[in-house]
Amino acid sequence: MLVFNQLQTYLYLALALFAIGLYGVLARRSLIAMLISIELMLNAASINFMAFNRFLAPHPAVGQVIALFIMAVAAAEAAIALSIIVAVYRKLKSINVEQATELRG
Amino acid sequence: MNFLSGLFTPQGVATIAFIMVVGVTILGALIAVLARNIFHNVLGLALSLMGVAGLFVFLNSPFLALMEILIYVGAICIAICFAVMLSEPMYLPKPPRNPLKIQGAILGAGAVFAFLALLVKQTKWVPAVERSNDWSVTTIGHYLLKDYSLIFEVVSLLLLVAMLGSIVIARGGRGSSS
């Protein structure tokens, strides 16, 4: 059995990518770095969809369609997040999350 | 000798290519998260996404691999580059890292990793009884415009709203401040 023909390989790989992204979201303080980590986590989800699609699903087109939707939603999310980051920088002159405390009661 | 001759069969070459793709993906992800320079983070993200595109080729879908490079590397990474240029200058000194926060993040991510790895290991994955072999792009198009047409339209609306919203948010400060 070849290593790239097993479902488990892809699942563990996507898991590693997800954990790296989660570490980035928790540890980094720059908003842009957090956005980059979130993109990594979304990619892990898409790898999972494609792996299940390749090895388990009854019809192989469905998982690819879902992965395309994930990409579209990720693009929309990135556009909104980046414009918010630019607006926050203009207002606070910093993109460090620890300084963005305007909403604190 | 036996190992070397095994390396030059099609399976051996494919395995080497797969290991390289996996290495590029993980290395890029580590650069994207661990490097201190924000621009290196963006480049690491691009490298990692290239690796993911290679994985999609191994998962039988070159179309999705091309879309991955087009949308993620070509659009999202460039947009992040613009945000890097429009926000904090990179020559400013960065505040030192908080070791407690790093440890907490490692602990949290490690716990999620361990739990999900256990889940993957324990689950018995059962393939569908009847599986079709239709991998063509034409079929994806039919699915997009027949079975999933509502989601397709909603996603296009979402992209339009996101585009308008980002223009409004990013422009906001300009009119009021001047």
Side-chain angles (χ1 to χ4, degrees), chain A residues 13 15 23 26 28-29 39 43 54-58 62 64 74 82 90 95, chain B residues 33 41 49 55 61 68 72 88 96 116-117 128 131-132 135 140 148 170:
Chain A
L13 181 63
L15 185 49
Y23 166 79
L26 292 176
R28 300 300 299 269
R29 282 167 300 182
E39 296 295 335
N43 265 281
R54 160 81 176 74
F55 293 102
L56 305 179
V62 179
Q64 299 184 56
L82 290 172
R90 247 193 232 141
I95 52 167
Chain B
V33 168
N41 290 154
L49 296 175
L55 284 177
S61 177
E68 174 92 11
Y72 272 111
E88 260 174 331
L116 288 176
R131 304 194 58 214
S132 114
W135 284 90
I140 300 177
Y148 294 96

PDB file of all heavy atoms in Angstrom, chain A residues 13 15 23 26 28-29 39 43 54-58 62 64 74 82 90 95, chain B residues 33 41 49 55 61 68 72 88 96 116-117 128 131-132 135 140 148 170:
ATOM      1  N   LEU A  13      -1.945  14.823   7.883  1.00  0.00           N
ATOM      2  CA  LEU A  13      -1.312  16.021   7.327  1.00  0.00           C
ATOM      3  C   LEU A  13      -2.201  17.254   7.537  1.00  0.00           C
ATOM      4  O   LEU A  13      -1.731  18.312   7.991  1.00  0.00           O
ATOM      5  CB  LEU A  13      -1.056  15.793   5.844  1.00  0.00           C
ATOM      6  CG  LEU A  13      -0.373  16.939   5.141  1.00  0.00           C
ATOM      7  CD1 LEU A  13       0.990  17.147   5.733  1.00  0.00           C
ATOM      8  CD2 LEU A  13      -0.251  16.616   3.682  1.00  0.00           C
ATOM      9  N   LEU A  15      -4.409  17.566   9.773  1.00  0.00           N
ATOM     10  CA  LEU A  15      -4.422  17.811  11.209  1.00  0.00           C
ATOM     11  C   LEU A  15      -3.209  18.627  11.629  1.00  0.00           C
ATOM     12  O   LEU A  15      -3.327  19.580  12.421  1.00  0.00           O
ATOM     13  CB  LEU A  15      -4.445  16.456  11.917  1.00  0.00           C
ATOM     14  CG  LEU A  15      -4.576  16.419  13.424  1.00  0.00           C
ATOM     15  CD1 LEU A  15      -5.702  17.305  13.843  1.00  0.00           C
ATOM     16  CD2 LEU A  15      -4.839  15.006  13.846  1.00  0.00           C
ATOM     17  N   TYR A  23      -2.035  27.210  16.535  1.00  0.00           N
ATOM     18  CA  TYR A  23      -0.950  27.796  17.328  1.00  0.00           C
ATOM     19  C   TYR A  23      -0.735  29.253  16.920  1.00  0.00           C
ATOM     20  O   TYR A  23      -0.577  30.126  17.776  1.00  0.00           O
ATOM     21  CB  TYR A  23       0.337  26.984  17.131  1.00  0.00           C
ATOM     22  CG  TYR A  23       1.552  27.700  17.642  1.00  0.00           C
ATOM     23  CD1 TYR A  23       1.835  27.721  18.997  1.00  0.00           C
ATOM     24  CD2 TYR A  23       2.396  28.397  16.785  1.00  0.00           C
ATOM     25  CE1 TYR A  23       2.919  28.405  19.485  1.00  0.00           C
ATOM     26  CE2 TYR A  23       3.485  29.083  17.259  1.00  0.00           C
ATOM     27  CZ  TYR A  23       3.742  29.089  18.612  1.00  0.00           C
ATOM     28  OH  TYR A  23       4.809  29.783  19.091  1.00  0.00           O
ATOM     29  N   LEU A  26      -3.391  31.544  18.293  1.00  0.00           N
ATOM     30  CA  LEU A  26      -3.300  31.766  19.732  1.00  0.00           C
ATOM     31  C   LEU A  26      -2.071  32.580  20.113  1.00  0.00           C
ATOM     32  O   LEU A  26      -2.122  33.376  21.046  1.00  0.00           O
ATOM     33  CB  LEU A  26      -3.272  30.416  20.463  1.00  0.00           C
ATOM     34  CG  LEU A  26      -4.549  29.592  20.403  1.00  0.00           C
ATOM     35  CD1 LEU A  26      -4.344  28.264  21.067  1.00  0.00           C
ATOM     36  CD2 LEU A  26      -5.683  30.327  21.067  1.00  0.00           C
ATOM     37  N   ARG A  28       0.225  34.550  18.003  1.00  0.00           N
ATOM     38  CA  ARG A  28       0.638  35.799  17.361  1.00  0.00           C
ATOM     39  C   ARG A  28      -0.232  36.958  17.830  1.00  0.00           C
ATOM     40  O   ARG A  28      -1.373  36.761  18.239  1.00  0.00           O
ATOM     41  CB  ARG A  28       0.548  35.671  15.830  1.00  0.00           C
ATOM     42  CG  ARG A  28       1.409  34.597  15.247  1.00  0.00           C
ATOM     43  CD  ARG A  28       2.882  34.780  15.530  1.00  0.00           C
ATOM     44  NE  ARG A  28       3.412  36.009  14.976  1.00  0.00           N
ATOM     45  CZ  ARG A  28       3.942  36.100  13.764  1.00  0.00           C
ATOM     46  NH1 ARG A  28       4.015  35.047  12.996  1.00  0.00           N
ATOM     47  NH2 ARG A  28       4.417  37.243  13.322  1.00  0.00           N
ATOM     48  N   ARG A  29       0.318  38.172  17.719  1.00  0.00           N
ATOM     49  CA  ARG A  29      -0.446  39.342  18.146  1.00  0.00           C
ATOM     50  C   ARG A  29      -0.746  40.297  17.001  1.00  0.00           C
ATOM     51  O   ARG A  29      -1.563  41.187  17.147  1.00  0.00           O
ATOM     52  CB  ARG A  29       0.300  40.066  19.248  1.00  0.00           C
ATOM     53  CG  ARG A  29       0.130  39.372  20.570  1.00  0.00           C
ATOM     54  CD  ARG A  29       1.092  39.902  21.574  1.00  0.00           C
ATOM     55  NE  ARG A  29       2.442  39.692  21.119  1.00  0.00           N
ATOM     56  CZ  ARG A  29       3.517  40.029  21.811  1.00  0.00           C
ATOM     57  NH1 ARG A  29       3.377  40.628  22.957  1.00  0.00           N
ATOM     58  NH2 ARG A  29       4.723  39.789  21.351  1.00  0.00           N
ATOM     59  N   GLU A  39      -6.067  31.292   7.353  1.00  0.00           N
ATOM     60  CA  GLU A  39      -6.038  30.719   6.005  1.00  0.00           C
ATOM     61  C   GLU A  39      -5.479  29.298   6.038  1.00  0.00           C
ATOM     62  O   GLU A  39      -5.970  28.407   5.339  1.00  0.00           O
ATOM     63  CB  GLU A  39      -5.174  31.572   5.075  1.00  0.00           C
ATOM     64  CG  GLU A  39      -5.678  32.977   4.839  1.00  0.00           C
ATOM     65  CD  GLU A  39      -6.989  32.994   4.117  1.00  0.00           C
ATOM     66  OE1 GLU A  39      -7.284  32.032   3.404  1.00  0.00           O
ATOM     67  OE2 GLU A  39      -7.729  33.970   4.286  1.00  0.00           O
ATOM     68  N   ASN A  43      -7.373  25.849   4.840  1.00  0.00           N
ATOM     69  CA  ASN A  43      -6.794  24.912   3.885  1.00  0.00           C
ATOM     70  C   ASN A  43      -6.787  23.496   4.417  1.00  0.00           C
ATOM     71  O   ASN A  43      -6.973  22.547   3.656  1.00  0.00           O
ATOM     72  CB  ASN A  43      -5.376  25.343   3.542  1.00  0.00           C
ATOM     73  CG  ASN A  43      -5.382  26.153   2.294  1.00  0.00           C
ATOM     74  OD1 ASN A  43      -5.451  25.606   1.225  1.00  0.00           O
ATOM     75  ND2 ASN A  43      -5.374  27.447   2.440  1.00  0.00           N
ATOM     76  N   ARG A  54     -11.872  11.717  -2.214  1.00  0.00           N
ATOM     77  CA  ARG A  54     -11.079  10.781  -3.014  1.00  0.00           C
ATOM     78  C   ARG A  54     -11.271   9.339  -2.548  1.00  0.00           C
ATOM     79  O   ARG A  54     -11.282   8.416  -3.356  1.00  0.00           O
ATOM     80  CB  ARG A  54      -9.607  11.199  -2.920  1.00  0.00           C
ATOM     81  CG  ARG A  54      -8.569  10.166  -3.267  1.00  0.00           C
ATOM     82  CD  ARG A  54      -8.371  10.057  -4.758  1.00  0.00           C
ATOM     83  NE  ARG A  54      -7.308   9.142  -5.083  1.00  0.00           N
ATOM     84  CZ  ARG A  54      -7.416   7.817  -4.991  1.00  0.00           C
ATOM     85  NH1 ARG A  54      -8.538   7.282  -4.575  1.00  0.00           N
ATOM     86  NH2 ARG A  54      -6.411   7.047  -5.322  1.00  0.00           N
ATOM     87  N   PHE A  55     -11.407   9.131  -1.235  1.00  0.00           N
ATOM     88  CA  PHE A  55     -11.359   7.765  -0.733  1.00  0.00           C
ATOM     89  C   PHE A  55     -12.711   7.200  -0.312  1.00  0.00           C
ATOM     90  O   PHE A  55     -12.878   5.986  -0.300  1.00  0.00           O
ATOM     91  CB  PHE A  55     -10.398   7.670   0.457  1.00  0.00           C
ATOM     92  CG  PHE A  55      -8.969   7.916   0.070  1.00  0.00           C
ATOM     93  CD1 PHE A  55      -8.377   9.130   0.326  1.00  0.00           C
ATOM     94  CD2 PHE A  55      -8.234   6.937  -0.575  1.00  0.00           C
ATOM     95  CE1 PHE A  55      -7.077   9.368  -0.046  1.00  0.00           C
ATOM     96  CE2 PHE A  55      -6.927   7.168  -0.948  1.00  0.00           C
ATOM     97  CZ  PHE A  55      -6.343   8.392  -0.689  1.00  0.00           C
ATOM     98  N   LEU A  56     -13.675   8.040   0.088  1.00  0.00           N
ATOM     99  CA  LEU A  56     -14.903   7.492   0.655  1.00  0.00           C
ATOM    100  C   LEU A  56     -16.168   7.850  -0.113  1.00  0.00           C
ATOM    101  O   LEU A  56     -17.099   7.066  -0.149  1.00  0.00           O
ATOM    102  CB  LEU A  56     -15.078   7.982   2.108  1.00  0.00           C
ATOM    103  CG  LEU A  56     -13.938   7.723   3.087  1.00  0.00           C
ATOM    104  CD1 LEU A  56     -14.284   8.306   4.438  1.00  0.00           C
ATOM    105  CD2 LEU A  56     -13.681   6.252   3.240  1.00  0.00           C
ATOM    106  N   ALA A  57     -16.240   9.054  -0.704  1.00  0.00           N
ATOM    107  CA  ALA A  57     -17.524   9.593  -1.159  1.00  0.00           C
ATOM    108  C   ALA A  57     -18.085   8.809  -2.333  1.00  0.00           C
ATOM    109  O   ALA A  57     -17.337   8.257  -3.140  1.00  0.00           O
ATOM    110  CB  ALA A  57     -17.355  11.046  -1.546  1.00  0.00           C
ATOM    111  N   PRO A  58     -19.436   8.748  -2.437  1.00  0.00           N
ATOM    112  CA  PRO A  58     -20.045   8.041  -3.563  1.00  0.00           C
ATOM    113  C   PRO A  58     -19.804   8.739  -4.894  1.00  0.00           C
ATOM    114  O   PRO A  58     -19.615   8.071  -5.900  1.00  0.00           O
ATOM    115  CB  PRO A  58     -21.525   8.005  -3.214  1.00  0.00           C
ATOM    116  CG  PRO A  58     -21.716   8.900  -2.081  1.00  0.00           C
ATOM    117  CD  PRO A  58     -20.414   9.189  -1.453  1.00  0.00           C
ATOM    118  N   VAL A  62     -18.656  15.997  -5.716  1.00  0.00           N
ATOM    119  CA  VAL A  62     -19.277  16.764  -4.633  1.00  0.00           C
ATOM    120  C   VAL A  62     -18.227  17.435  -3.753  1.00  0.00           C
ATOM    121  O   VAL A  62     -18.307  18.625  -3.446  1.00  0.00           O
ATOM    122  CB  VAL A  62     -20.191  15.845  -3.793  1.00  0.00           C
ATOM    123  CG1 VAL A  62     -20.817  16.622  -2.669  1.00  0.00           C
ATOM    124  CG2 VAL A  62     -21.253  15.238  -4.675  1.00  0.00           C
ATOM    125  N   GLN A  64     -15.210  18.230  -4.500  1.00  0.00           N
ATOM    126  CA  GLN A  64     -14.515  19.302  -5.217  1.00  0.00           C
ATOM    127  C   GLN A  64     -15.354  20.566  -5.239  1.00  0.00           C
ATOM    128  O   GLN A  64     -14.830  21.683  -5.078  1.00  0.00           O
ATOM    129  CB  GLN A  64     -14.208  18.854  -6.639  1.00  0.00           C
ATOM    130  CG  GLN A  64     -13.320  17.641  -6.686  1.00  0.00           C
ATOM    131  CD  GLN A  64     -12.957  17.274  -8.100  1.00  0.00           C
ATOM    132  OE1 GLN A  64     -12.418  18.070  -8.841  1.00  0.00           O
ATOM    133  NE2 GLN A  64     -13.254  16.043  -8.479  1.00  0.00           N
ATOM    134  N   ALA A  74     -13.418  31.861   1.688  1.00  0.00           N
ATOM    135  CA  ALA A  74     -12.146  32.325   2.238  1.00  0.00           C
ATOM    136  C   ALA A  74     -11.724  33.630   1.581  1.00  0.00           C
ATOM    137  O   ALA A  74     -11.194  34.530   2.251  1.00  0.00           O
ATOM    138  CB  ALA A  74     -11.074  31.264   2.043  1.00  0.00           C
ATOM    139  N   LEU A  82      -9.010  42.096   5.711  1.00  0.00           N
ATOM    140  CA  LEU A  82      -7.928  43.032   5.372  1.00  0.00           C
ATOM    141  C   LEU A  82      -8.412  44.462   5.427  1.00  0.00           C
ATOM    142  O   LEU A  82      -7.696  45.361   5.896  1.00  0.00           O
ATOM    143  CB  LEU A  82      -7.367  42.697   3.993  1.00  0.00           C
ATOM    144  CG  LEU A  82      -6.590  41.392   3.958  1.00  0.00           C
ATOM    145  CD1 LEU A  82      -6.240  41.012   2.546  1.00  0.00           C
ATOM    146  CD2 LEU A  82      -5.337  41.486   4.787  1.00  0.00           C
ATOM    147  N   ARG A  90      -5.557  52.654  10.660  1.00  0.00           N
ATOM    148  CA  ARG A  90      -5.750  54.100  10.516  1.00  0.00           C
ATOM    149  C   ARG A  90      -6.208  54.737  11.819  1.00  0.00           C
ATOM    150  O   ARG A  90      -5.829  55.855  12.163  1.00  0.00           O
ATOM    151  CB  ARG A  90      -6.795  54.361   9.444  1.00  0.00           C
ATOM    152  CG  ARG A  90      -6.176  55.026   8.249  1.00  0.00           C
ATOM    153  CD  ARG A  90      -7.243  55.545   7.345  1.00  0.00           C
ATOM    154  NE  ARG A  90      -6.955  55.025   6.028  1.00  0.00           N
ATOM    155  CZ  ARG A  90      -7.884  54.615   5.201  1.00  0.00           C
ATOM    156  NH1 ARG A  90      -9.141  54.664   5.534  1.00  0.00           N
ATOM    157  NH2 ARG A  90      -7.535  54.185   4.019  1.00  0.00           N
ATOM    158  N   ILE A  95      -1.455  47.489  14.541  1.00  0.00           N
ATOM    159  CA  ILE A  95      -2.324  46.339  14.260  1.00  0.00           C
ATOM    160  C   ILE A  95      -2.095  45.243  15.285  1.00  0.00           C
ATOM    161  O   ILE A  95      -2.355  44.076  15.045  1.00  0.00           O
ATOM    162  CB  ILE A  95      -2.126  45.791  12.830  1.00  0.00           C
ATOM    163  CG1 ILE A  95      -0.658  45.511  12.562  1.00  0.00           C
ATOM    164  CG2 ILE A  95      -2.693  46.709  11.807  1.00  0.00           C
ATOM    165  CD1 ILE A  95      -0.440  44.687  11.325  1.00  0.00           C
TER     166      ILE A  95
ATOM    167  N   VAL B  33       3.949  30.727  10.373  1.00  0.00           N
ATOM    168  CA  VAL B  33       3.533  30.969  11.753  1.00  0.00           C
ATOM    169  C   VAL B  33       4.681  31.457  12.621  1.00  0.00           C
ATOM    170  O   VAL B  33       4.499  32.323  13.477  1.00  0.00           O
ATOM    171  CB  VAL B  33       2.906  29.674  12.324  1.00  0.00           C
ATOM    172  CG1 VAL B  33       2.731  29.790  13.812  1.00  0.00           C
ATOM    173  CG2 VAL B  33       1.567  29.435  11.671  1.00  0.00           C
ATOM    174  N   ASN B  41       6.174  35.775   6.698  1.00  0.00           N
ATOM    175  CA  ASN B  41       4.957  35.014   6.961  1.00  0.00           C
ATOM    176  C   ASN B  41       4.132  34.842   5.683  1.00  0.00           C
ATOM    177  O   ASN B  41       3.644  33.756   5.392  1.00  0.00           O
ATOM    178  CB  ASN B  41       4.103  35.726   8.008  1.00  0.00           C
ATOM    179  CG  ASN B  41       4.716  35.691   9.389  1.00  0.00           C
ATOM    180  OD1 ASN B  41       4.459  36.544  10.193  1.00  0.00           O
ATOM    181  ND2 ASN B  41       5.536  34.708   9.666  1.00  0.00           N
ATOM    182  N   LEU B  49       0.654  27.021   0.456  1.00  0.00           N
ATOM    183  CA  LEU B  49      -0.504  26.842  -0.423  1.00  0.00           C
ATOM    184  C   LEU B  49      -0.105  26.143  -1.708  1.00  0.00           C
ATOM    185  O   LEU B  49      -0.874  25.353  -2.266  1.00  0.00           O
ATOM    186  CB  LEU B  49      -1.133  28.197  -0.716  1.00  0.00           C
ATOM    187  CG  LEU B  49      -1.704  28.891   0.511  1.00  0.00           C
ATOM    188  CD1 LEU B  49      -2.182  30.273   0.156  1.00  0.00           C
ATOM    189  CD2 LEU B  49      -2.820  28.091   1.092  1.00  0.00           C
ATOM    190  N   LEU B  55      -0.824  18.571  -3.215  1.00  0.00           N
ATOM    191  CA  LEU B  55      -1.624  17.505  -2.587  1.00  0.00           C
ATOM    192  C   LEU B  55      -2.915  17.277  -3.363  1.00  0.00           C
ATOM    193  O   LEU B  55      -3.359  16.141  -3.514  1.00  0.00           O
ATOM    194  CB  LEU B  55      -1.972  17.892  -1.158  1.00  0.00           C
ATOM    195  CG  LEU B  55      -0.879  17.772  -0.127  1.00  0.00           C
ATOM    196  CD1 LEU B  55      -1.386  18.255   1.208  1.00  0.00           C
ATOM    197  CD2 LEU B  55      -0.452  16.341  -0.008  1.00  0.00           C
ATOM    198  N   SER B  61      -7.259  15.722  -8.438  1.00  0.00           N
ATOM    199  CA  SER B  61      -8.022  16.847  -8.935  1.00  0.00           C
ATOM    200  C   SER B  61      -7.123  17.999  -9.360  1.00  0.00           C
ATOM    201  O   SER B  61      -6.928  18.946  -8.620  1.00  0.00           O
ATOM    202  CB  SER B  61      -8.997  17.309  -7.864  1.00  0.00           C
ATOM    203  OG  SER B  61      -9.671  18.434  -8.325  1.00  0.00           O
ATOM    204  N   GLU B  68      -6.617  26.533  -6.611  1.00  0.00           N
ATOM    205  CA  GLU B  68      -5.934  26.860  -5.355  1.00  0.00           C
ATOM    206  C   GLU B  68      -4.833  27.888  -5.617  1.00  0.00           C
ATOM    207  O   GLU B  68      -4.721  28.896  -4.924  1.00  0.00           O
ATOM    208  CB  GLU B  68      -5.347  25.576  -4.782  1.00  0.00           C
ATOM    209  CG  GLU B  68      -4.483  25.764  -3.570  1.00  0.00           C
ATOM    210  CD  GLU B  68      -5.244  25.642  -2.287  1.00  0.00           C
ATOM    211  OE1 GLU B  68      -6.402  25.210  -2.337  1.00  0.00           O
ATOM    212  OE2 GLU B  68      -4.673  25.984  -1.245  1.00  0.00           O
ATOM    213  N   TYR B  72      -5.786  31.385  -4.056  1.00  0.00           N
ATOM    214  CA  TYR B  72      -5.055  31.626  -2.809  1.00  0.00           C
ATOM    215  C   TYR B  72      -3.743  32.349  -3.071  1.00  0.00           C
ATOM    216  O   TYR B  72      -3.492  33.421  -2.522  1.00  0.00           O
ATOM    217  CB  TYR B  72      -4.796  30.310  -2.085  1.00  0.00           C
ATOM    218  CG  TYR B  72      -5.909  29.915  -1.162  1.00  0.00           C
ATOM    219  CD1 TYR B  72      -6.717  28.826  -1.418  1.00  0.00           C
ATOM    220  CD2 TYR B  72      -6.144  30.651  -0.015  1.00  0.00           C
ATOM    221  CE1 TYR B  72      -7.732  28.471  -0.571  1.00  0.00           C
ATOM    222  CE2 TYR B  72      -7.158  30.304   0.837  1.00  0.00           C
ATOM    223  CZ  TYR B  72      -7.956  29.211   0.554  1.00  0.00           C
ATOM    224  OH  TYR B  72      -8.954  28.878   1.402  1.00  0.00           O
ATOM    225  N   GLU B  88       1.421  48.801   9.476  1.00  0.00           N
ATOM    226  CA  GLU B  88       2.645  49.125  10.203  1.00  0.00           C
ATOM    227  C   GLU B  88       3.922  49.016   9.368  1.00  0.00           C
ATOM    228  O   GLU B  88       4.148  47.988   8.723  1.00  0.00           O
ATOM    229  CB  GLU B  88       2.772  48.186  11.396  1.00  0.00           C
ATOM    230  CG  GLU B  88       2.322  48.840  12.663  1.00  0.00           C
ATOM    231  CD  GLU B  88       2.312  47.857  13.816  1.00  0.00           C
ATOM    232  OE1 GLU B  88       2.111  46.672  13.595  1.00  0.00           O
ATOM    233  OE2 GLU B  88       2.497  48.308  14.922  1.00  0.00           O
ATOM    234  N   PRO B  96       8.743  42.381  22.577  1.00  0.00           N
ATOM    235  CA  PRO B  96       9.216  41.011  22.806  1.00  0.00           C
ATOM    236  C   PRO B  96       8.044  40.057  22.997  1.00  0.00           C
ATOM    237  O   PRO B  96       6.953  40.453  23.399  1.00  0.00           O
ATOM    238  CB  PRO B  96      10.037  41.140  24.092  1.00  0.00           C
ATOM    239  CG  PRO B  96       9.497  42.345  24.765  1.00  0.00           C
ATOM    240  CD  PRO B  96       9.073  43.281  23.683  1.00  0.00           C
ATOM    241  N   LEU B 116      -7.618  15.129  18.094  1.00  0.00           N
ATOM    242  CA  LEU B 116      -8.064  14.798  16.738  1.00  0.00           C
ATOM    243  C   LEU B 116      -7.271  13.624  16.166  1.00  0.00           C
ATOM    244  O   LEU B 116      -7.819  12.810  15.427  1.00  0.00           O
ATOM    245  CB  LEU B 116      -7.943  16.033  15.843  1.00  0.00           C
ATOM    246  CG  LEU B 116      -8.981  17.114  16.144  1.00  0.00           C
ATOM    247  CD1 LEU B 116      -8.745  18.327  15.291  1.00  0.00           C
ATOM    248  CD2 LEU B 116     -10.380  16.601  15.915  1.00  0.00           C
ATOM    249  N   ALA B 117      -5.952  13.517  16.535  1.00  0.00           N
ATOM    250  CA  ALA B 117      -5.165  12.383  16.057  1.00  0.00           C
ATOM    251  C   ALA B 117      -5.728  11.082  16.612  1.00  0.00           C
ATOM    252  O   ALA B 117      -5.833  10.077  15.906  1.00  0.00           O
ATOM    253  CB  ALA B 117      -3.699  12.550  16.459  1.00  0.00           C
ATOM    254  N   ALA B 128     -17.999   4.429   0.586  1.00  0.00           N
ATOM    255  CA  ALA B 128     -19.362   4.225   0.106  1.00  0.00           C
ATOM    256  C   ALA B 128     -19.429   2.925  -0.699  1.00  0.00           C
ATOM    257  O   ALA B 128     -18.444   2.491  -1.302  1.00  0.00           O
ATOM    258  CB  ALA B 128     -19.788   5.404  -0.751  1.00  0.00           C
ATOM    259  N   ARG B 131     -19.213   3.539  -5.781  1.00  0.00           N
ATOM    260  CA  ARG B 131     -18.470   4.776  -6.013  1.00  0.00           C
ATOM    261  C   ARG B 131     -18.296   4.989  -7.517  1.00  0.00           C
ATOM    262  O   ARG B 131     -17.865   4.103  -8.237  1.00  0.00           O
ATOM    263  CB  ARG B 131     -17.104   4.716  -5.338  1.00  0.00           C
ATOM    264  CG  ARG B 131     -17.214   4.435  -3.851  1.00  0.00           C
ATOM    265  CD  ARG B 131     -15.924   4.716  -3.150  1.00  0.00           C
ATOM    266  NE  ARG B 131     -15.519   6.079  -3.354  1.00  0.00           N
ATOM    267  CZ  ARG B 131     -14.255   6.451  -3.460  1.00  0.00           C
ATOM    268  NH1 ARG B 131     -13.298   5.557  -3.418  1.00  0.00           N
ATOM    269  NH2 ARG B 131     -13.952   7.707  -3.630  1.00  0.00           N
ATOM    270  N   SER B 132     -18.637   6.209  -7.965  1.00  0.00           N
ATOM    271  CA  SER B 132     -18.488   6.486  -9.388  1.00  0.00           C
ATOM    272  C   SER B 132     -17.064   6.942  -9.680  1.00  0.00           C
ATOM    273  O   SER B 132     -16.340   7.377  -8.797  1.00  0.00           O
ATOM    274  CB  SER B 132     -19.514   7.532  -9.814  1.00  0.00           C
ATOM    275  OG  SER B 132     -18.869   8.708 -10.193  1.00  0.00           O
ATOM    276  N   TRP B 135     -14.326  11.803 -12.786  1.00  0.00           N
ATOM    277  CA  TRP B 135     -13.531  12.889 -12.212  1.00  0.00           C
ATOM    278  C   TRP B 135     -13.483  14.115 -13.115  1.00  0.00           C
ATOM    279  O   TRP B 135     -12.692  15.006 -12.885  1.00  0.00           O
ATOM    280  CB  TRP B 135     -12.103  12.419 -11.935  1.00  0.00           C
ATOM    281  CG  TRP B 135     -12.000  11.570 -10.733  1.00  0.00           C
ATOM    282  CD1 TRP B 135     -12.109  10.213 -10.697  1.00  0.00           C
ATOM    283  CD2 TRP B 135     -11.802  11.995  -9.382  1.00  0.00           C
ATOM    284  NE1 TRP B 135     -11.987   9.775  -9.407  1.00  0.00           N
ATOM    285  CE2 TRP B 135     -11.785  10.845  -8.582  1.00  0.00           C
ATOM    286  CE3 TRP B 135     -11.633  13.232  -8.776  1.00  0.00           C
ATOM    287  CZ2 TRP B 135     -11.621  10.886  -7.218  1.00  0.00           C
ATOM    288  CZ3 TRP B 135     -11.455  13.276  -7.408  1.00  0.00           C
ATOM    289  CH2 TRP B 135     -11.452  12.116  -6.645  1.00  0.00           C
ATOM    290  N   ILE B 140     -18.218  18.546 -12.627  1.00  0.00           N
ATOM    291  CA  ILE B 140     -18.221  19.574 -11.567  1.00  0.00           C
ATOM    292  C   ILE B 140     -19.104  20.736 -11.991  1.00  0.00           C
ATOM    293  O   ILE B 140     -19.896  21.259 -11.204  1.00  0.00           O
ATOM    294  CB  ILE B 140     -16.783  20.066 -11.295  1.00  0.00           C
ATOM    295  CG1 ILE B 140     -15.897  18.910 -10.847  1.00  0.00           C
ATOM    296  CG2 ILE B 140     -16.779  21.139 -10.219  1.00  0.00           C
ATOM    297  CD1 ILE B 140     -14.458  19.320 -10.628  1.00  0.00           C
ATOM    298  N   TYR B 148     -26.230  22.284  -6.996  1.00  0.00           N
ATOM    299  CA  TYR B 148     -25.807  23.274  -6.010  1.00  0.00           C
ATOM    300  C   TYR B 148     -26.012  24.701  -6.512  1.00  0.00           C
ATOM    301  O   TYR B 148     -25.301  25.607  -6.102  1.00  0.00           O
ATOM    302  CB  TYR B 148     -24.334  23.055  -5.662  1.00  0.00           C
ATOM    303  CG  TYR B 148     -24.093  21.753  -4.952  1.00  0.00           C
ATOM    304  CD1 TYR B 148     -23.693  20.628  -5.647  1.00  0.00           C
ATOM    305  CD2 TYR B 148     -24.315  21.650  -3.589  1.00  0.00           C
ATOM    306  CE1 TYR B 148     -23.495  19.430  -4.997  1.00  0.00           C
ATOM    307  CE2 TYR B 148     -24.124  20.451  -2.932  1.00  0.00           C
ATOM    308  CZ  TYR B 148     -23.709  19.350  -3.643  1.00  0.00           C
ATOM    309  OH  TYR B 148     -23.526  18.163  -2.998  1.00  0.00           O
ATOM    310  N   ALA B 170     -12.823  50.211   4.285  1.00  0.00           N
ATOM    311  CA  ALA B 170     -11.471  50.731   4.090  1.00  0.00           C
ATOM    312  C   ALA B 170     -11.490  52.200   3.731  1.00  0.00           C
ATOM    313  O   ALA B 170     -10.539  52.919   4.010  1.00  0.00           O
ATOM    314  CB  ALA B 170     -10.767  49.925   3.018  1.00  0.00           C
TER     315      ALA B 170
END
